C-alpha cells in the first residue's frame, strides 16, 4: 500500500506591495514579514518637491559641467605631467557626472532646452575660479572650495530629499558624492605637494582659498537663487564657434586676426595669407620661439593670463601657446631638437643614453615622442571645451572623452617607455602639434586633429601593433591595439562636429579639407627646412630623424604600403563613398579587421 503524503496546507498569504513589504500592518510596520530580510525603515516625506529637486539638480549639473570645462582649459597650463594625468581623468569623471545629473533633471520635468545657467551671483564665483594667477591657485579653488561645496550640497540633498519618492535622485547622487570625495582627497594631496611645505606658498594658497570662499558665501552658496543671467543668442553653428573671448561680457575684443580665424573656412583662406607658403616667417613659429623663452616649470609660477594685450599689428595671440611641461623636459624649437638629437651622440650622461639605431632605442624614441604628442591632443581638446562654451552639450562630452583617452595614451606610452628602460625627458621635445593647432580656429583644430592626424593614424597604429608583435614586444602591440580603437571614436567625433559646424555641406567640407592640407603642408615644409638647415644643409648630417610630431607609424617598417582599415573608417562615420576615396588615396590597399 502506498502511503499518500498530505498536500501542504495552503495558508492565506498577506498581500504584499510591489517591493515585497507586507501591508497588513499598515504604517505601523514597514519591515518585512520574512525575518532575514533587512527592514525597510524609509518613510515618506522630504525637504524638496519636484520643482526644487529639479532646480538643485540643474545647479549641480551646471557647476560640475563648468568645473569640467575649467579643468580642460587649465590642462595645458599645468606643467607637472603627473597632475595632467589625474586632471584628465577628472575631466571625464565630471562629464559622466554631469550626464547622470542631466538625465535625472529630465525626469524631474526640466525641459532639455531649459536655461541651465547659474544666477549672476553664483556665476561670479565660477568665473573667479578661472581668475587664478597660478595653477596652484587654480587647484586650490577647484579642490578646496568648488568641489567640496558641491559635494556638501549633494550630500545634503541625498539625506534631505524624500527617500522613497525621490529615490532615483538619491541613487544618482550617492556615487557622485563618493567620487567627488576621491577627487577632493587627490586634489588636497596635489595642493600640498605644490606648496611643498613652504610657509609663504601655504599662506598664499590659504588667502586665495579664503577669497574664493568669500565670493561663494556672498552669492549664498552653490545652490543659491539670485539674479537670472541676461538672455543669450539662440544656438547656431556660427554662434557656437565663437570663443569665450568673443562672447558678450568678454573683457577685451579679439584682434582681427583671431576674429578671422573664428569664421568659416572660406573666409579664413581669404584673410590668413600669413601661414601660407609664401610666408617667410610664419607667425606661429615666431610666437613659439618667444613662448619657449618663457616656458614655465612648476604650477607655483604664474600661468599666462587668459586675456593678453594686443601684440602690435598681429593682434591677440592665443591665450595659451604651449602645452606646459615640468622641469624634466627640455622643450625646444624643432631645429634645436634636431641639432640636439644629433649632437647628443657624444653625451653619455646618466639617464641620457646615446641615441642609436637599434630597435630598443627606436622604440624608446617613439614612446617618448608619443607620450608628449598624445598629451598635446588632450591639451588641445581641453582648450576646445574651455574656449567654446556655446558648442552643444554633446560636443563637450565628446571632447571630455578625447581628453581622458589622450591622457591615457600618454600615460600608456610613458609606462612603456619606462618598461623599455627609458625615462621622461631623456630626449628634447618640441611645441609640436599643440603649438601649431592652438593657433587655429575651432573648425581647423578639429579638422587637423581628428580628420587629418587621427584619421591618418588609424591604419598606422595597426601597422605599429603588428610590427611590435613581430619584434616580440607583445605589451607594446596590445597597447597600440587599444589606442587604435580609441582613436577610431575620436575620428567619429571629428566627423560629427566638423560636419555640424559646416551645416553638413559637402562642398564646404571638401574646401576645408583641401585648405587644411595646404596649410599643414606649408607649416610642415617650413619646419622641415629649418631642421634641414640645422643639420647642415643637406639634412643628412643626422641620421636619427627627430620624431617631431610623434607619428605613431614612425616605428613601422616603410617597405610595404599600409592597408587602409575599412571597418575603422565605417565606425568613424565615413560613408561608403568617402571610404572608397580614402582607400584610393591610401594606395588602393584595403584591410578588413
Ligand atoms: Fe591618442
Ligand atoms: Fe585621439
Amino acid at each position: 500500500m502506498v502511503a499518500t503524503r498530505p498536500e501542504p496546507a495552503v495558508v492565506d498569504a498577506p498581500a504584499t506591495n510591489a517591493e515585497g513589504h507586507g501591508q497588513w500592518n499598515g504604517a505601523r510596520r514597514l519591515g518585512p514579514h520574512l525575518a532575514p530580510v533587512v527592514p525597510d525603515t524609509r518613510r515618506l516625506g522630504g525637504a524638496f518637491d519636484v520643482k526644487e529637486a529639479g532646480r538643485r539638480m540643474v545647479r549641480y549639473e551646471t557647476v560640475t559641467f563648468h568645473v569640467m570645462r575649467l579643468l580642460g582649459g587649465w590642462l595645458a597650463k599645468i606643467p607637472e605631467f603627473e597632475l595632467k594625468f589625474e586632471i584628465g581623468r577628472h575631466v571625464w569623471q565630471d562629464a559622466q557626472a554631469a550626464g547622470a545629473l542631466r538625465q535625472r533633471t529630465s525626469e524631474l520635468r526640466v525641459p532639455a532646452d531649459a536655461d541651465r545657467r547659474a544666477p549672476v551671483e553664483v556665476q561670479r564665483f565660477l568665473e573667479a575660479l578661472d581668475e587664478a594667477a597660478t595653477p596652484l591657485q587654480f587647484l586650490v579653488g577647484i579642490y578646496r572650495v568648488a568641489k567640496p561645496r558641491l559635494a556638501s550640497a549633494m550630500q545634503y540633498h541625498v539625506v534631505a530629499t524624500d527617500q522613497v519618492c525621490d529615490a532615483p535622485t538619491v541613487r544618482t547622487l550617492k556615487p557622485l558624492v563618493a567620487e567627488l570625495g576621491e577627487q577632493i582627497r587627490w586634489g588636497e594631496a596635489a595642493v600640498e605637494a605644490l606648496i611643498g611645505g613652504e610657509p609663504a606658498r601655504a599662506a598664499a594658497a590659504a588667502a586665495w582659498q579664503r577669497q574664493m570662499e568669500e565670493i561663494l558665501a556672498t552669492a549664498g552658496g552653490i545652490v543659491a537663487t539670485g539674479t537670472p543671467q541676461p538672455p543669450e543668442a539662440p544656438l547656431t553653428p556660427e554662434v557656437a564657434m565663437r570663443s569665450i573671448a568673443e562672447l558678450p561680457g568678454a573683457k577685451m575684443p579679439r584682434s582681427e586676426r583671431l576674429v578671422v580665424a573664428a569664421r568659416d573656412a572660406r573666409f579664413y583662406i581669404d584673410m590668413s595669407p600669413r601661414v601660407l607658403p609664401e610666408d617667410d616667417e610664419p607667425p606661429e613659429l615666431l610666437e613659439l620661439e618667444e613662448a619657449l623663452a618663457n616656458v614655465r616649470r612648476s604650477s607655483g609660477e604664474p600661468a599666462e593670463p587668459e586675456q593678453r594685450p594686443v601684440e602690435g599689428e598681429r593682434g591677440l595671440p592665443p591665450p595659451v601657446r604651449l602645452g606646459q611641461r615640468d622641469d624634466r623636459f627640455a622643450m625646444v624649437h624643432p631645429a634645436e631638437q634636431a641639432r640636439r638629437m644629433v649632437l647628443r651622440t657624444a653625451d653619455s650622461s646618466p639617464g641620457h643614453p646615446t641615441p642609436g639605431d637599434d630597435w630598443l632605442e627606436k622604440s624608446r624614441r617613439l614612446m617618448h615622442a608619443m607620450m608628449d604628442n598624445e598629451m598635446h591632443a588632450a591639451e588641445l581638446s581641453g582648450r576646445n571645451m574651455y574656449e567654446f562654451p556655446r558648442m552643444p552639450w554633446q560636443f563637450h562630452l565628446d571632447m571630455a572623452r578625447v581628453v581622458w583617452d589622450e591622457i591615457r595614451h600618454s600615460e600608456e606610452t610613458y609606462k612603456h617607455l619606462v618598461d623599455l628602460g627609458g625615462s621622461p625627458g631623456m630626449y628634447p621635445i618640441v611645441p609640436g602639434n599643440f603649438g601649431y593647432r592652438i593657433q587655429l580656429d575651432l573648425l581647423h583644430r578639429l579638422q587637423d586633429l581628428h580628420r587629418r592626424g587621427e584619421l591618418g593614424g588609424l591604419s598606422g597604429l595597426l601597422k605599429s601593433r603588428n610590427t611590435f608583435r613581430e619584434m616580440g614586444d607583445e605589451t607594446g602591440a596590445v597597447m597600440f591595439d587599444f589606442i587604435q580603437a580609441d582613436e577610431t571614436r575620436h575620428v567619429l567625433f571629428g566627423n560629427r562636429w566638423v560636419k555640424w559646424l559646416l551645416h553638413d555641406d559637402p562642398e564646404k567640407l571638401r574646401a576645408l579639407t583641401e585648405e587644411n592640407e595646404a596649410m599643414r603642408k606649408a607649416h610642415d615644409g617650413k619646419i622641415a627646412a629649418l631642421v634641414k638647415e640645422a643639420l647642415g644643409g643637406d639634412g643628412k648630417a643626422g641620421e636619427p630623424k627627430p620624431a617631431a610630431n610623434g607619428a605613431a607609424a614612425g616605428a613601422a617598417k616603410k617597405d610595404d604600403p599600409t592597408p587602409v582599415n575599412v571597418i575603422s573608417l565605417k565606425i568613424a562615420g565615413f560613408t561608403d563613398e568617402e571610404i572608397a576615396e580614402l582607400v584610393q588615396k591610401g594606395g588602393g590597399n584595403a584591410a578588413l579587421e
Side-chain angles (χ1 to χ4, degrees):
M1 195 178 141
V2 178
T4 51
R5 233 178 132 196
E7 290 286 316
V10 176
V11 181
D12 280 344
T16 55
N17 64 15
E19 290 185 295
H21 307 308
Q23 287 181 325
W24 70 91
N25 275 339
R28 280 179 292 119
R29 184 177 163 191
L30 289 170
H33 68 282
L34 295 171
V37 178
V38 178
D40 178 4
T41 56
R42 296 175 305 160
R43 304 298 301 269
L44 294 190
F48 315 126
D49 60 8
V50 169
K51 193 172 178 196
E52 179 61 9
R55 187 191 74 80
R56 286 174 181 250
M57 290 293 273
V58 164
R59 187 64 51 78
Y60 311 146
E61 178 206 317
T62 301
V63 173
T64 303
F65 186 76
H66 186 89
V67 166
M68 169 194 82
R69 279 189 46 245
L70 292 185
L71 288 170
W74 275 79
L75 190 64
K77 305 207 291 185
I78 292 176
E80 294 84 358
F81 229 60
E82 285 76 7
L83 298 191
K84 289 177 187 284
F85 289 153
E86 195 61 27
I87 287 168
R89 269 190 281 278
H90 292 186
V91 165
W92 177 244
Q93 287 172 1
D94 289 355
Q96 286 194 301
L101 291 163
R102 194 182 188 90
Q103 169 62 30
R104 181 60 188 146
T105 65
S106 74
E107 299 160 3
L108 291 167
R109 290 198 296 262
V110 178
D113 61 352
D115 186 350
R116 288 160 190 268
R117 292 175 299 160
V120 170
E121 297 80 1
V122 177
Q123 186 67 31
R124 169 75 201 103
F125 165 69
L126 297 176
E127 280 163 17
L129 294 168
D130 199 18
E131 288 161 13
T134 62
L136 171 57
Q137 280 187 347
F138 172 71
L139 296 177
V140 164
I142 297 294
Y143 291 100
R144 280 190 175 175
V145 186
K147 282 182 181 283
R149 295 302 173 281
L150 183 61
S152 301
M154 286 180 176
Q155 181 59 38
Y156 173 72
H157 196 135
V158 165
V159 176
T161 197
D162 190 308
Q163 297 297 296
V164 183
C165 303
D166 198 17
T169 295
V170 175
R171 190 170 159 75
T172 301
L173 288 177
K174 271 188 173 173
L176 303 187
V177 173
E179 192 164 76
L180 272 171
E182 286 173 23
Q183 291 186 356
I184 292 162
R185 282 190 290 280
W186 175 85
E188 182 54 29
V191 164
E192 283 177 21
L194 291 174
I195 288 172
E198 270 189 42
R201 273 193 184 180
W208 180 258
Q209 183 179 343
R210 210 159 39 243
Q211 204 177 319
M212 293 299 102
E213 277 169 352
E214 276 169 19
I215 296 172
L216 185 55
T218 308
I222 288 279
V223 291
T225 50
T227 320
Q229 295 196 40
E232 306 183 284
L235 182 59
T236 63
E238 288 66 34
V239 166
M241 64 176 116
R242 279 187 210 151
S243 87
I244 38 171
E246 296 175 279
L247 293 174
K251 294 180 189 79
M252 189 183 292
R254 296 189 93 183
S255 69
E256 183 193 331
R257 176 170 178 253
L258 290 179
V259 169
V260 167
R263 296 295 177 261
D264 72 36
R266 234 176 0 176
F267 198 52
Y268 194 92
I269 293 177
D270 292 344
M271 300 297 291
S272 59
R274 292 184 180 96
V275 293
L276 294 176
E278 63 270 24
D279 191 359
D280 289 337
E281 296 182 323
E284 70 270 25
L285 290 183
L286 298 181
E287 282 190 358
L288 288 176
E289 292 241 69
E290 188 206 309
L292 280 170
N294 303 317
V295 73
R296 289 179 313 108
R297 298 301 189 188
S298 143
S299 284
E301 296 160 35
E304 279 189 299
E306 287 293 328
Q307 300 291 344
R308 294 171 55 87
V310 171
E311 289 182 354
E313 58 145 17
R314 303 235 342 273
L316 282 173
V320 176
R321 296 188 282 186
L322 295 177
Q324 297 290 339
R325 297 291 181 267
D326 62 54
D327 59 12
R328 283 168 295 183
F329 297 90
M331 200 198 296
V332 297
H333 192 279
E336 178 62 16
Q337 183 197 44
R339 205 176 291 124
R340 288 200 198 179
M341 293 294 271
V342 176
L343 290 179
R344 251 223 345 263
T345 48
D347 177 5
S348 55
S349 55
H352 290 85
T354 302
D357 268 343
D358 58 293
W359 167 254
L360 181 66
E361 177 57 23
K362 276 183 180 166
S363 311
R364 276 200 292 248
R365 241 185 270 167
L366 177 63
M367 290 306 118
H368 197 280
M370 282 183 72
M371 171 183 73
D372 193 49
N373 187 52
E374 299 289 336
M375 187 59 81
H376 283 173
E379 290 165 321
L380 183 84
S381 304
R383 292 302 300 177
N384 288 348
M385 55 198 273
Y386 170 84
E387 290 180 23
F388 301 94
R390 297 273 349 243
M391 283 293 285
W393 164 266
Q394 187 59 46
F395 170 80
H396 290 93
L397 263 48
D398 288 349
M399 289 296 108
R401 183 56 195 238
V402 174
V403 168
W404 183 39
D405 290 353
E406 301 299 358
I407 63 102
R408 218 169 52 250
H409 299 166
S410 179
E411 199 172 26
E412 290 160 15
T413 43
Y414 178 178
K415 287 179 190 294
H416 203 46
L417 173 70
V418 174
D419 292 342
L420 298 170
S423 60
M426 67 188 293
Y427 307 115
I429 55 169
V430 290
N433 276 320
F434 183 86
Y436 173 69
R437 292 178 180 137
I438 200 68
Q439 315 277 335
L440 309 175
D441 67 348
L442 179 62
L443 195 53
H444 289 76
R445 287 182 192 181
L446 297 174
Q447 171 68 26
D448 195 66
L449 171 57
H450 304 299
R451 284 177 34 89
R452 191 199 63 87
E454 291 175 339
L455 171 61
L458 291 185
S459 305
L461 283 162
L462 289 182
K463 192 169 179 184
S464 293
R465 174 198 64 188
N466 298 344
T467 307
F468 273 67
R469 185 160 281 159
E470 279 166 29
M471 297 303 289
D473 183 348
E474 186 60 20
T475 308
V478 171
M479 181 192 75
F480 277 113
D481 208 19
F482 275 101
I483 291 178
Q484 198 270 359
D486 294 338
E487 298 297 354
T488 304
R489 297 269 306 159
H490 301 176
V491 180
L492 172 71
F493 300 157
N495 273 330
R496 178 183 294 163
W497 295 110
V498 167
K499 288 176 182 177
W500 183 78
L501 285 168
L502 295 178
H503 297 269
D504 282 316
D505 181 335
E507 279 315 305
K508 282 187 178 169
L509 188 66
R510 188 170 292 278
L512 173 71
T513 308
E514 285 168 9
E515 182 211 10
N516 185 67
E517 283 305 319
M519 282 167 60
R520 189 69 198 205
K521 222 173 138 191
H523 175 267
D524 290 353
K526 187 59 72 177
I527 297 272
L530 290 168
V531 167
K532 196 173 168 184
E533 201 183 308
L535 295 182
D538 60 359
K540 286 182 185 162
E543 272 305 305
K545 195 171 171 274
N549 290 327
K557 283 187 276 177
K558 290 203 169 99
D559 36 18
D560 45 337
T562 309
V564 176
N565 192 280
V566 172
I567 290 179
S568 293
L569 294 179
K570 267 195 177 163
I571 295 170
F574 289 100
T575 62
D576 289 345
E577 204 184 7
E578 288 169 326
I579 291 173
E581 206 182 316
L582 287 165
V583 170
Q584 185 77 20
K585 251 176 142 178
N589 198 358
L592 285 169
E593 184 178 349

